């Protein structure tokens, strides 16, 4: 009965005139609202997610295996940190700059951005000492520049899955690798969830929405709940696949001729370091 | 030709830095308007060439040295405005990292080598090419342009040196900065460049230009292919050969340290004193003072400096090409 009444109300009047409210121009101009926060967060999230999603597309058939790159980076960072004289860091700088000069501009800037940030931070720390006349303090920013750059090279040129596999080869506990692997997958999943929620919030905010920032807590809460849901699902899925708590990273060990080249490279690095530090 | 700090008064340095600001601004504007986007990274290649050429010191009779700059080469390949920016950045890296040329004198050095040299060389090249429009005429134009460009730059540098004792002296009549008047500075700077460095600049310019024309004609003509690999191979060759610059073990005229200047005999007799501001003036210690690394043989240090300098220049201009854009057209 109620529905019929509503229907009647919507029908045009007997003289076939349009209702008054339909003839009036809708003069609604929503106030401009600032979406900087959502825009920036969305951009940052999407950027990081794209980067992570593109990881599997990275070339895995490189001559240098992920294990070698990992060991080489660790040894290099160690040697740079141990050097007391300027010579070894400068040799490494020459090699790094030559490699960088061969890359395209986008890749160069993606490597140099975080590296320069780290270097400027350490430069700010040593600046008072430098101004007061301790010129050798500039060694610290140089070392920070080189060590972060070697880590950036590793991250840029190696897929994360290959890195976790390499960690397995180095006998890093399986649980640690599993946490790393799962973390990466969760970052992508939860990042997608957060991006969807932010887009939803933006679409529903017509005009000026003062309560938008209050919704941020809800978004974070929702992401947390989703994380909980995902973790239960993952655990159940793993149990179904006979997960016993052990996490094996399968490794095939076979001596290949390229391993000798790997060893030669690492030995050369150590010899150059010993020469530069005048131990030889 | 790299004027060190304390050879020119801070006020002279400020004048030249102020003169360079509009030149840099206008050059950047012209690059953005005129240079195709895909050619912007080539500025780094040009700057690397210039950087390496400046490392080849040539011995001059009398115990000093001089070097080529390569300014006309970049000006002919990419235009004078591009040459101005490329050489300015190369000079900045030389001053900050290698201590070659002063920090305060950066404006004056840029005026001489990044403005006077490429613009003189380029417009003389254009003039001769117009008068003599044949392949041989073009070669002659490049040769004469490069020769005239570096000599004009040396002449301007000599005037900058020569004016200092006239303007700045203490009560004893001793110069506070560069002690040589125009009558000493002009012949001392210009003669070695007319006789040796100018010819070296012209020969280097024509040889590298011909090489680039052969292997990568796209760098010269916009409708042809640009191949960078042979050009990089040439840069690597120049890096490997750069220690030849160490064979000339003297210091270039007007580039002495405070310890060397008292024994200089440009006047006919030794100077006998060190100008006051050279002892008590501005002092900056570079990472690689004079392209050497402490504890490393000079030869290896020189090659290392050449690698770092050239790679840094290529990276800087690749990044600038990414940020600045350039003309929205392709070659």
């Amino acid at each position: 009965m109620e529905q019929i009444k509503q229907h009647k109300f919507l029908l045009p009047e007997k003289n076939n005139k349009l209702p008054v409210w339909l003839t009036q121009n809708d003069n609604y101009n929503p106030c401009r609202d600032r979406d900087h926060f959502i825009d920036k967060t969305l951009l940052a999230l999407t950027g990081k997610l794209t980067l992570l999603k593109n990881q599997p597309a990275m070339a895995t058939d490189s001559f240098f295996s992920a294990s070698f790159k990992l060991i080489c980076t660790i040894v290099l960072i160690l040697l740079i940190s141990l050097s007391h004289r300027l010579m070894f860091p400068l040799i490494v700088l020459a090699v790094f700059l030559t490699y960088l000069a061969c890359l395209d501009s986008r890749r160069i800037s993606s490597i140099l951005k975080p590296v320069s940030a780290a270097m400027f931070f350490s430069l700010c720390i040593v600046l008072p000492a430098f101004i007061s006349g301790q010129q050798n303090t500039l060694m610290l920013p140089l070392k920070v520049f080189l060590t972060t750059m070697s880590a950036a090279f590793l991250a840029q040129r190696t897929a994360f899955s290959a890195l976790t596999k390499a960690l397995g080869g180095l006998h890093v506990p399986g649980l640690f690798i599993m946490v790393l692997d799962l973390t990466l997958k969760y970052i992508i999943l939860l990042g997608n969830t957060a991006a969807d929620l932010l887009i939803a919030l933006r679409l529903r905010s017509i005009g000026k929405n003062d309560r938008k920032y209050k919704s941020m807590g809800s978004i974070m809460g929702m992401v947390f709940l989703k994380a909980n849901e995902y973790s239960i699902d993952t655990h159940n899925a793993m149990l179904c696949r006979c997960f016993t708590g052990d996490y094996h990273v399968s490794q095939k060990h076979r001596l290949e001729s390229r391993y000798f080249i790997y060893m030669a490279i690492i030995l050369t690095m150590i010899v150059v370091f010993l020469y530069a530090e005048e131990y030889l | 030709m790299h004027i060190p700090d304390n050879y020119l008064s801070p006020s002279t340095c400020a004048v030249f830095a102020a003169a360079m600001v509009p030149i840099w601004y206008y050059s950047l504007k012209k690059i953005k308007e005129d240079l195709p986007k895909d050619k912007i990274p080539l500025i780094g290649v040009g700057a690397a060439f210039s950087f390496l050429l400046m490392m080849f010191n040539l011995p001059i009779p009398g115990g000093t040295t001089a070097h080529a700059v390569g300014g006309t080469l970049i000006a002919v390949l990419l235009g004078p405005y591009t040459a101005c920016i490329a050489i300015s950045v190369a000079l900045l890296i030389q001053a900050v990292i290698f201590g070659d040329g002063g920090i305060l004198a950066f404006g004056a050095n840029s005026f001489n080598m990044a403005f006077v040299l490429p613009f003189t060389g380029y417009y003389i090249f254009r003039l001769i090419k117009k008068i003599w429009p044949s392949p041989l005429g073009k070669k002659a134009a490049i040769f004469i342009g490069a020769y005239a460009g570096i000599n004009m730059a040396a002449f301007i540098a000599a005037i900058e040196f020569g004016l200092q004792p006239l303007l700045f002296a203490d009560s004893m009549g001793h110069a506070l900065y560069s002690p040589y008047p125009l009558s000493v500075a002009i012949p001392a700077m210009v003669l070695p460049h007319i006789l040796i460095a100018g010819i070296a600049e012209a020969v280097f310019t024509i040889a590298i230009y011909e090489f680039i024309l052969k292997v990568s004609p796209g760098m010269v003509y916009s409708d042809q292919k640009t191949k960078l690999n042979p050009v990089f191979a040439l840069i690597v060759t120049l890096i490997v050969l750069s220690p030849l610059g160490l064979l000339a073990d003297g210091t270039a005229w007007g580039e002495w340290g405070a310890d060397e200047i008292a024994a200089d005999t440009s006047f006919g007799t030794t100077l006998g004193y060190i100008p006051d501001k050279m002892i008590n003036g501005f002092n900056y210690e570079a990472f690689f003072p004079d392209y050497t690394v402490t504890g490393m043989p000079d030869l290896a240090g020189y090659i290392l400096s050449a690698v770092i300098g050239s790679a840094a220049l290529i990276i800087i201009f690749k990044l600038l090409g990414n940020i600045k854009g350039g003309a929205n057209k392709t070659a």
Side-chain angles (χ1 to χ4, degrees), chain A residues 104-124:
Chain A
D104 63 88
S105 55
R106 269 172 210 279
R107 204 166 277 263
I108 295 175
S109 63
S110 71
I111 289 174
L112 279 186
K113 262 183 202 165
V115 172
S116 325
M119 191 190 70
F120 280 117
F121 182 68
S122 60
L123 193 68
C124 291

Side-chain angles (χ1 to χ4, degrees), chain A residues 11-280:
Chain A
L11 278 173
E13 288 169 31
K14 278 178 187 169
N15 53 6
N16 290 335
K17 275 189 180 172
L18 282 171
V20 184
W21 63 271
L22 257 179
T23 57
Q24 283 171 349
N25 279 335
D26 197 1
N27 200 17
Y28 175 63
N29 287 318
C31 320
R32 283 181 74 88
D33 196 7
R34 280 179 295 175
D35 268 344
H36 294 319
F37 173 75
I38 290 188
D39 285 346
K40 275 197 89 170
T41 319
L42 259 176
L43 259 178
L45 259 177
T46 325
K48 293 278 180 294
L49 286 175
T50 321
L51 203 76
L52 287 170
K53 278 179 191 164
N54 287 341
Q55 283 262 324
M58 276 188 190
T60 46
D61 55 346
S62 159
F63 176 77
F64 296 108
S65 70
S67 316
F68 166 71
K69 287 181 194 167
L70 188 67
I71 295 172
C72 197
T73 308
I74 293 169
V75 172
L76 195 61
I77 290 176
L78 199 69
L79 294 181
I80 293 168
S81 315
L82 285 174
S83 58
H84 295 292
R85 296 157 62 88
L86 203 55
M87 193 164 143
F88 184 72
L90 287 179
I91 294 171
V92 177
L93 178 71
V95 176
F96 279 4
L97 289 184
T98 310
Y99 179 66
L100 262 188
C102 299
L103 299 178
D104 63 88
S105 55
R106 269 172 210 279
R107 204 166 277 263
I108 295 175
S109 63
S110 71
I111 289 174
L112 279 186
K113 262 183 202 165
V115 172
S116 325
M119 191 190 70
F120 280 117
F121 182 68
S122 60
L123 193 68
C124 291
I125 292 172
V126 299
L127 208 58
F130 178 71
I131 291 169
S132 64
Q134 297 287 318
Q135 294 216 339
N136 55 355
T137 45
L138 283 184
M139 180 98 153
L140 184 70
L142 177 67
K143 280 184 172 184
V144 170
F145 181 78
L146 294 173
T147 46
T148 43
M149 196 187 273
S150 47
F153 279 146
L154 181 73
Q156 285 270 329
R157 306 298 294 170
T158 323
F160 202 82
S161 55
L163 267 183
T164 48
K165 201 175 168 190
L167 283 174
L170 296 176
H171 299 287
V172 172
L175 190 70
F176 179 74
I177 298 172
M178 185 180 76
V179 170
L180 266 181
D181 263 346
L182 282 179
T183 307
L184 185 76
K185 287 199 167 59
Y186 271 55
I187 289 173
I188 296 174
L189 275 173
L190 297 176
N192 277 334
T193 312
D196 288 347
L197 286 168
L198 281 170
I199 291 169
L201 177 65
R202 197 172 162 191
L203 290 174
R204 282 161 178 75
S205 302
I206 297 166
K208 196 162 173 63
N209 178 5
D210 292 329
R211 289 176 303 167
K212 198 161 43 189
Y213 292 97
K214 286 180 191 159
S215 310
M216 287 301 140
S218 313
I219 289 179
M220 296 321 290
M222 187 53 85
V223 171
F224 179 76
L225 286 177
K226 279 274 181 193
N228 194 30
E229 206 175 284
Y230 287 144
S231 68
I232 293 167
D233 287 351
T234 313
H235 182 69
N236 288 339
M238 287 171 91
L239 277 182
C240 289
R241 287 164 178 78
C242 309
F243 179 65
T244 56
D246 282 334
Y247 186 82
H248 294 289
V249 179
S250 66
Q251 293 279 328
K252 281 183 229 161
H253 289 290
R254 204 181 61 217
L255 193 64
E256 289 177 35
S257 54
R258 61 180 177 161
Y259 292 165
F260 292 107
I261 298 173
Y262 295 173
M263 275 174 64
I265 291 172
I266 290 177
L267 275 176
T268 312
M269 269 163 40
I270 295 170
V271 169
V272 170
F273 170 77
L274 292 175
Y275 171 75
E277 294 294 306
E278 292 188 341
Y279 292 120
L280 285 182

Side-chain angles (χ1 to χ4, degrees), chain B residues 43-250:
Chain B
I43 310 175
V45 176
F49 269 126
S50 170
F51 178 88
L52 290 170
L53 288 182
M54 288 192 246
M55 289 184 79
F56 282 88
N57 292 314
L58 304 160
I60 304 283
T64 63
T65 60
H67 56 75
V69 177
T72 312
L73 173 74
I74 311 175
V76 171
L77 287 174
L78 301 165
Y81 297 101
T82 312
C84 175
I85 296 299
I87 300 173
S88 298
V89 177
L91 287 173
L92 185 68
I93 285 188
Q94 283 179 327
V96 175
I97 302 179
F98 303 101
D100 192 7
I103 299 278
L104 295 181
F106 172 63
N109 282 326
S110 298
F111 186 83
N112 303 336
M113 284 183 273
F115 172 62
V116 174
L117 194 159
F119 278 85
T120 310
Y122 181 73
Y123 285 107
I124 288 180
F125 157 76
R126 284 256 309 248
L127 185 74
I128 297 175
K129 208 177 90 170
K130 208 173 177 183
I131 299 168
W132 190 1
S134 71
L136 187 67
K138 193 177 178 187
K139 279 181 196 170
I142 294 172
F143 193 90
I144 297 167
Y147 184 77
I150 197 165
N151 280 306
M152 181 56 93
F155 178 68
I156 300 289
I159 291 176
E160 289 159 18
F161 276 125
L163 287 177
Q164 297 304 306
L166 300 176
L167 297 172
F168 309 99
D170 62 10
S171 53
M172 304 267 292
H174 286 172
L176 289 173
Y177 302 98
S178 169
Y180 304 106
L182 289 167
S183 57
V184 177
I186 291 177
M189 275 300 285
V190 175
L191 275 179
H193 284 88
I194 285 179
L195 295 174
I196 293 169
I199 295 168
E201 169 89 354
V203 169
F204 270 131
T205 304
I206 195 84
I208 296 176
Y209 181 83
E210 287 292 312
F211 175 81
I212 286 173
L213 198 63
K214 210 168 188 179
V215 298
S216 181
M219 277 178 85
V220 184
Y221 304 112
S222 53
D223 54 340
Q224 294 195 34
K225 215 175 175 185
T226 307
K227 282 188 209 158
L228 277 182
N229 284 352
V231 180
F232 281 127
L234 181 63
I235 289 181
V236 172
T237 314
L238 285 176
I239 288 173
V240 174
L241 292 177
S242 65
L244 286 176
L246 285 169
L247 293 176
D249 55 354

